[in-house]
Amino acid sequence: MSKVLIAFQENDESRYIVQAIEQDNPDATVYFEPAMIRIENEGSLTINKATVEEMMGCDWEVQSIHVNLLTLTGHIDEDDDYFTVHWDN
Amino acid sequence: MATQALRADYHGDGKDTEDKFHGAILVYINWDKHLFFYSAKAFPLDPNMPFAAVLEHVIGTHFCQHPEYKNINWDTVEWTLNNEPFMPVMEKSLAENGFDHKCLLRFKTAETSSFEAAGI
Amino acid sequence: MSAKKLNLKDKYRLLTRDLDWDFSYEDRKDAFPFEEFEGIKITDWDKWEDPFRLTMDAYWKYQAEKEKKLYAIYDAFSQNNGHLNVSDARYVNAIKIFLTAVSPGELAAHSGFAFTGRQMGGIGARIAAQMQSIDELRHIQTQIHAMSHYNKFFDGFDEFSHMHDRVWYISVVKSFFDDARSAGPFEFMVAIGFSFEYVLTNLLFVPFMSGAAYNGDMATVTFGFSAQSDEARHMTLGLEIIKFLLEQHEDNVPIVQKWIDKWLWRGYRILTVVAMMMDYMLPQKVMSWKEAWELYFEQAGGALFKDLERYGIKMPDYTDLIKAEKEHLSHQAWWTFYTNSQATAFHTWIPSDEELDWLSEKYPESFDKYYRPRWELAKEMAEKGERYYNEGLPQLCQTCQIPMIYTDVQNDPRDIVYRSTKYQGERFHFCSDQCQHIFENEPEKYVHAWLPVHQIFQGNCGGPGGLEKVMDYYKLDVGKANMDYVGSPDEERWKNWKGVA
Ligand SMILES: [Fe+2]
Ligand SMILES: [Fe+2]
Ligand SMILES: [Zn+2]
């Protein structure tokens, strides 16, 4: 299975998103690089609205990942309560 | 193949045809395996110019910055014109030597210097 | 009673599909006259789906948020003399290249997407292209704004837009966009969406910008990452259009394959400059060009091509060559600019001893063998007071317009690659098989190339009268904006600010 990748600007908001990713995708690898955070995983990565909200302690819209998103690879599946990138082979 | 164009009469108008260079032809010259010069150099030259003059006034002034230039033995230099082996006749003109517009002249020298392995 | 909140999928449908209209008294074909001439067959535009399902209202909301953050940082940056915090003034030359060569490309992308957005028969694609067009306009504006601060303190920034249309090496980027914008709407989408966004900006705006941050350039990393937050969407759009075309009709497959082969190469060639910016122009090193390429292209691009296999799309056959070139690209480029710095709108320099060691470590296959000796020689010459500036003008590739600097890295990296073909009795020269094939597929187009070296010889760049006239034509401030960094006014000012002798 190919690796998916997703990267964010490093800031307070992204740190919570990354924590949520780590919790929901235990096999993911997180790399801290200057000013950015890159996350890789075999096959797929999912961001769940509920987990991010739990980490942040406030409401969070999935679409607001656009504000801090830098790049990603894989097919995107997005809805109100989750955001997933995945490869199928 | 042709460009997939909106109009059937789409065609190219060459920007660099020979008539645009005020009587000169374009000649590209490279000293092979000498990347001290990062690429071949381009020159607009009078096709009536004797090859000897090109060697002295064009090659001589544009490749002499290389520290080994002065050591070249021109009798053993191998030339190619448009990637074909070529023997220049010094007193004949570029045109008589077979140079045409946008031709590529390359020369190879027997190297003994420390620059050889690095291709400088 | 308040209306029920719509979910993302319903909202996307209502704010895209339902904004379209039917053509009751005009022929739909007349409304979208460029949709068919490229040979692309669309059977059902309704199959188009924006994976982000971004609608215009959400778009404005998040873009406004991005802009507010960005301008707050610009203000802080200039109020606090942010330019004094960069790692070294040499670094600033990387963003001079950025402003003269890349930012005007954003404007070209803006106009291209405005045109393409109008020409797409499907409403979903039209809206996505419209957003991208607005994004690209934001990119050039925010980039000019960020760099206007540097313009107050460093040479080489002020004539960027004049230079973009004239200066020799900048024609490489300009012609890339001209090529894309003069193609049909679908080829444009593949060209920019795939080649520029997926291949090029991913490397320029992610690892290079991370390097900008590491070198203390708060303004550049901020506009870079802010732009890249849009580019992530553009990249996705680029891949979406490819998948959409492949799913619409099997006859589209060979056309799309041809565009991928062409545009991946065109984008890759431009990356030569980004390779050099990463390896030579960031005083504090983050990641080598080779490492960045392996991560963002070999790994990420490899996964993409594996995914596209199911449509019959193949990885271009030159990927082995690209793999081999990663050991050489940045070194060939920096040497070219270093030795031609009498005609560049930025400064160049000999890498420091520590930098040379870093390059040896990162490029064990090539650096000590081929490139370190050049720098040793350059150093020797400079120490004698004979800083090396190469005389004369280079031979250029007809397609990519880059000087013919590329060597036969798979056989003997000391040999320049020469390819040529004849068209209408005239000989045309290329840096590679790929540039030759691109030309041969569309010779009518590429004979129009405005090759700076040939234009100079024709007398179209300031008239006859040597390099001095050409520099005036470029509005290049000789002795200030160009030549070596050592001894430049930039260096002198920097030392004064920093209180070093
Ligand atoms: Fe952009
Ligand atoms: Fe973009
Ligand atoms: Zn080329």
Side-chain angles (χ1 to χ4, degrees):
Chain A
M1 193 72 83
S2 300
K3 269 187 186 169
V4 294
L5 175 159
I6 185 160
F8 296 100
Q9 283 193 53
E10 198 196 343
N11 56 33
D12 272 348
E13 210 169 86
S14 300
R15 275 191 289 271
Y16 291 120
I17 299 171
V18 172
Q19 278 172 21
I21 293 175
E22 282 183 295
Q23 178 168 321
D24 293 342
N25 307 264
D27 295 330
T29 316
V30 180
Y31 301 88
F32 287 86
E33 286 168 7
M36 59 181 274
I37 310 170
R38 176 163 58 89
I39 309 138
E40 292 181 15
N41 200 28
E42 202 92 357
S44 73
L45 275 172
T46 296
I47 304 169
N48 290 306
K49 177 180 162 83
T51 320
V52 177
E53 289 185 338
E54 194 186 303
M55 298 286 174
M56 281 184 185
C58 61
D59 289 347
W60 180 74
E61 297 283 336
V62 174
Q63 278 199 321
S64 72
I65 67 160
H66 281 294
V67 177
N68 297 308
L69 184 65
L70 289 183
T71 187
L72 45 80
T73 59
H75 300 290
I76 295 162
D77 181 17
E78 183 178 3
D79 211 330
D80 290 299
D81 45 11
Y82 67 88
F83 180 95
T84 296
V85 278
H86 63 94
W87 288 122
D88 301 326
N89 55 40
Chain B
M1 246 193 283
T3 309
Q4 202 78 20
L6 263 179
R7 295 167 54 131
D9 61 351
Y10 179 72
H11 62 281
D13 297 311
K15 274 249 181 312
D16 298 320
T17 45
E18 197 176 332
D19 57 296
K20 297 188 174 62
F21 290 86
H22 317 287
I25 56 168
L26 281 181
V27 179
Y28 308 106
I29 304 178
N30 191 58
W31 183 2
D32 283 359
K33 287 189 168 50
H34 284 71
L35 295 166
F36 180 76
F37 308 107
Y38 58 82
S39 75
K41 301 188 184 200
F43 303 97
L45 301 177
D46 179 352
N48 300 313
M49 197 175 179
F51 188 85
V54 173
L55 187 54
E56 190 184 339
H57 300 298
V58 179
I59 296 177
T61 55
H62 285 86
F63 291 89
C64 62
Q65 286 172 295
H66 193 289
E68 293 290 315
Y69 183 82
K70 55 187 183 302
N71 300 330
I72 296 175
N73 177 358
W74 290 99
D75 296 334
T76 62
V77 163
E78 286 173 39
W79 300 91
T80 63
L81 185 62
N82 294 321
N83 300 318
E84 299 287 336
F86 164 69
M87 216 24 177
V89 182
M90 288 292 160
E91 59 279 7
K92 283 195 170 165
S93 73
L94 289 180
E96 288 161 339
N97 268 297
F99 284 62
D100 58 357
H101 184 50
K102 295 170 79 178
C103 61
L104 171 66
L105 176 69
R106 299 164 64 178
F107 62 100
K108 216 180 243 141
T109 52
E111 267 307 318
T112 49
S113 83
S114 57
F115 296 130
E116 191 188 356
I120 300 178
Chain C
M1 195 185 98
S2 66
K4 183 175 157 282
K5 194 173 175 289
L6 290 165
N7 75 26
L8 199 57
K9 283 174 181 164
D10 290 336
K11 199 169 99 176
Y12 179 70
R13 184 178 43 76
L14 287 169
L15 285 172
T16 55
R17 299 298 185 275
D18 286 9
L19 291 180
D20 206 4
W21 61 83
D22 294 325
F23 290 77
S24 52
Y25 56 90
E26 288 287 354
D27 188 346
R28 197 178 171 88
K29 280 192 173 150
D30 295 335
F32 302 105
F34 299 158
E35 214 180 78
E36 283 175 4
F37 83 94
E38 296 171 273
I40 287 290
K41 292 178 182 149
I42 304 290
T43 52
D44 184 6
W45 269 113
D46 269 342
K47 292 271 160 34
W48 172 276
E49 186 97 10
D50 175 357
F52 285 123
R53 299 197 181 89
L54 194 62
T55 51
M56 224 52 207
D57 58 326
Y59 173 76
W60 291 125
K61 179 177 148 196
Y62 293 121
Q63 295 305 98
E65 199 176 316
K66 288 179 190 176
E67 290 277 283
K68 271 185 208 145
K69 288 177 74 169
L70 179 61
Y71 279 91
I73 295 170
Y74 284 177
D75 287 347
F77 178 76
S78 63
Q79 286 160 6
N80 292 286
N81 279 325
H83 63 284
L84 294 177
N85 295 328
V86 298
S87 55
D88 185 60
R90 291 180 305 164
Y91 160 78
V92 174
N93 291 287
I95 58 172
K96 293 177 192 174
I97 297 179
F98 200 104
L99 183 65
T100 50
V102 180
S103 301
E106 305 272 17
L107 186 65
H110 153 73
S111 92
F113 273 98
F115 163 79
T116 305
R118 169 62 187 83
Q119 295 304 334
M120 294 272 151
I123 184 74
R126 281 216 297 285
I127 286 181
Q130 179 192 18
M131 287 176 191
Q132 180 155 354
S133 177
I134 298 167
D135 291 334
E136 303 297 4
L137 191 58
R138 166 177 116 82
H139 296 170
I140 183 169
Q141 287 172 340
T142 54
Q143 287 164 24
I144 294 168
H145 201 125
M147 288 192 251
S148 68
H149 179 80
Y150 285 103
N151 181 43
K152 295 176 194 161
F153 301 97
F154 296 90
D155 295 316
F157 285 96
D158 53 335
E159 290 294 352
F160 73 94
S161 99
H162 178 88
M163 285 178 176
H164 185 72
D165 296 331
R166 293 166 180 80
V167 175
W168 58 286
Y169 53 93
I170 302 174
S171 82
V172 172
V173 190
K174 184 180 162 66
S175 61
F176 172 95
F177 277 100
D178 287 350
D179 189 352
R181 283 194 297 164
S182 55
F186 292 112
E187 183 178 347
F188 176 82
M189 291 282 272
V190 173
I192 304 303
F194 174 69
S195 163
F196 193 71
E197 306 287 358
Y198 193 83
V199 183
L200 230 146
T201 61
N202 222 1
L203 278 135
L204 180 58
F205 283 82
V206 186
F208 177 77
M209 288 301 167
S210 177
Y214 200 52
N215 282 274
D217 183 1
M218 194 160 98
T220 298
V221 67
T222 306
F223 82 64
F225 279 178
S226 187
Q228 184 59 26
S229 68
D230 301 341
E231 309 298 9
R233 176 158 36 78
H234 301 171
M235 239 168 63
T236 309
L237 176 65
L239 299 185
E240 189 54 30
I241 187 88
I242 286 181
K243 281 186 271 179
F244 174 73
L245 295 180
L246 295 172
E247 278 169 12
Q248 283 291 305
H249 203 288
E250 60 183 5
D251 290 355
N252 294 344
V253 176
I255 302 176
V256 171
Q257 178 79 59
K258 197 176 83 180
W259 289 340
I260 287 177
D261 291 351
K262 168 183 172 181
W263 287 101
L264 177 60
W265 182 259
R266 298 279 278 124
Y268 166 70
R269 268 302 187 233
I270 291 185
L271 278 171
T272 304
V273 176
V274 180
M276 162 189 113
M277 286 161 70
M278 284 196 66
D279 281 346
Y280 286 86
M281 304 186 83
L282 294 174
Q284 304 277 0
K285 313 292 182 196
V286 177
M287 190 187 253
S288 69
W289 161 255
K290 187 176 143 189
E291 289 162 336
W293 180 253
E294 285 167 353
L295 175 63
Y296 290 99
F297 184 77
E298 289 179 10
Q299 182 186 314
L304 170 70
F305 276 103
K306 202 166 122 192
D307 187 65
L308 292 176
E309 265 171 25
R310 66 198 149 110
Y311 301 108
I313 290 291
K314 291 197 298 277
M315 193 96 166
D317 58 13
Y318 50 75
T319 34
D320 285 345
L321 172 63
I322 290 187
K323 224 182 168 76
E325 281 191 345
K326 71 188 171 193
E327 282 277 340
H328 300 270
L329 224 49
S330 64
H331 318 303
Q332 292 171 331
W334 188 243
W335 181 255
T336 300
F337 283 113
Y338 172 81
T339 63
N340 231 40
S341 206
Q342 73 275 30
T344 54
F346 59 92
H347 299 297
T348 56
W349 54 87
I350 298 169
S352 70
D353 290 344
E354 300 78 64
E355 286 169 326
L356 291 173
D357 290 344
W358 182 83
L359 290 164
S360 296
E361 184 200 317
K362 294 292 179 186
Y363 295 94
E365 310 287 316
S366 62
F367 195 74
D368 285 349
K369 189 157 185 217
Y370 299 110
Y371 303 104
R372 187 186 273 269
R374 292 191 204 176
W375 295 112
E376 304 295 352
L377 175 57
K379 227 191 298 185
E380 220 180 282
M381 293 174 78
E383 277 162 11
K384 276 194 281 183
E386 295 164 9
R387 202 287 193 189
Y388 170 39
Y389 293 106
N390 188 9
E391 293 282 339
L393 302 178
Q395 181 188 22
L396 306 179
C397 171
Q398 183 75 25
T399 304
C400 69
Q401 307 200 1
I402 297 173
M404 299 269 291
I405 64 172
Y406 298 99
T407 64
D408 190 2
V409 295
Q410 288 166 308
N411 297 301
D412 189 339
R414 300 174 302 168
D415 291 330
I416 290 174
V417 174
Y418 290 101
R419 296 288 182 270
S420 69
T421 195
K422 279 203 166 186
Y423 176 70
Q424 293 181 341
E426 188 176 333
R427 197 175 292 109
F428 293 90
H429 298 268
F430 311 96
C431 72
S432 54
D433 288 332
Q434 291 67 38
C435 278
Q436 180 178 349
H437 294 158
I438 292 168
F439 176 93
E440 284 169 345
N441 282 334
E442 298 173 287
E444 303 88 344
K445 191 170 187 180
Y446 294 99
V447 297
H448 289 114
W450 193 91
L451 294 183
V453 170
H454 296 172
Q455 290 301 315
I456 290 171
F457 290 147
Q458 288 178 30
N460 297 335
C461 301
L467 211 58
E468 217 170 282
K469 286 271 174 60
V470 177
M471 296 301 115
D472 288 346
Y473 169 77
Y474 288 171
K475 292 197 185 174
L476 201 154
D477 211 341
V478 175
K480 285 185 181 164
N482 62 348
M483 322 284 274
D484 205 297
Y485 172 72
V486 177
S488 68
D490 271 5
E491 184 196 40
E492 197 187 314
R493 279 189 296 265
W494 179 255
K495 285 184 166 172
N496 278 335
W497 297 329
K498 289 290 177 182
V500 288

